[in-house]
Amino acid sequence: MKFQMIHENYNVADLGKSLDFYGKALGLKECRRKTAEDGSFIIVYLKNEESDFELELTWLREMDRPYNLGDCEFHLAFRTDDYEAAHALHKEMGCICFENPAMGIYFIQDPDGYWLEIIPDRR
């Protein structure tokens, strides 16, 4: 029996703001969308040309408070081929939330508080 990872879901408060963030910060683009007939939810799948893995963003109409992300101990990691340019972009965007120079990594935070790890290509 084999399993392939296909997506990870993040619930978001402002779908437009999140789509703008993921497009600018990580180059992710919408590849498909599901909208409830009654408008109660919208699910948008994002991906890039580097991988088949998708990020699923879910907007729920009835959510009236920020999502509780606990201690933000979970995250999604992205490897980049141009670490310096990525760091400069994310610094300009003001979304770097933690840096670990000793490990050569940093984290950015999306509009809902989710942490995303940025790793240089060390291959």
Side-chain angles (χ1 to χ4, degrees):
M1 185 179 319
K2 296 180 182 180
F3 297 91
Q4 178 184 15
M5 291 190 298
I6 58 171
H7 73 256
E8 174 154 351
N9 175 75
Y10 287 170
N11 285 12
V12 300
D14 183 327
L15 186 57
K17 189 174 183 179
S18 293
L19 290 172
D20 289 345
F21 173 84
Y22 283 99
K24 182 174 181 179
L26 299 166
L28 299 179
K29 294 181 171 66
E30 181 175 334
C31 60
R32 68 184 187 285
R33 174 184 291 238
K34 294 179 184 178
T35 303
E37 287 184 25
D38 65 359
S40 61
F41 69 84
I42 300 172
I43 299 171
V44 177
Y45 295 88
L46 306 176
K47 65 183 293 186
N48 62 24
E49 296 175 2
E50 307 305 318
S51 170
D52 290 333
F53 189 82
E54 298 173 342
L55 178 59
E56 173 186 324
L57 301 181
T58 302
W59 171 84
L60 302 171
R61 179 180 62 205
E62 301 300 322
M63 187 52 138
D64 61 356
R65 65 192 180 288
Y67 288 96
N68 180 348
L69 303 183
D71 294 327
C72 284
E73 289 298 324
F74 61 92
H75 63 271
L76 186 58
F78 290 81
R79 181 181 299 127
T80 178
D81 64 343
D82 192 338
Y83 186 83
E84 289 75 22
H87 189 276
L89 170 66
H90 297 144
K91 185 173 184 176
E92 175 187 316
M93 291 176 66
C95 62
I96 295 175
C97 59
F98 180 77
E99 295 189 64
N100 187 329
M103 291 182 68
I105 63 170
Y106 67 93
F107 290 80
I108 60 176
Q109 190 171 33
D110 87 347
D112 290 280
Y114 294 102
W115 282 32
L116 306 151
E117 183 177 5
I118 308 299
I119 300 169
D121 189 353
R122 295 184 177 125
R123 291 183 266 178

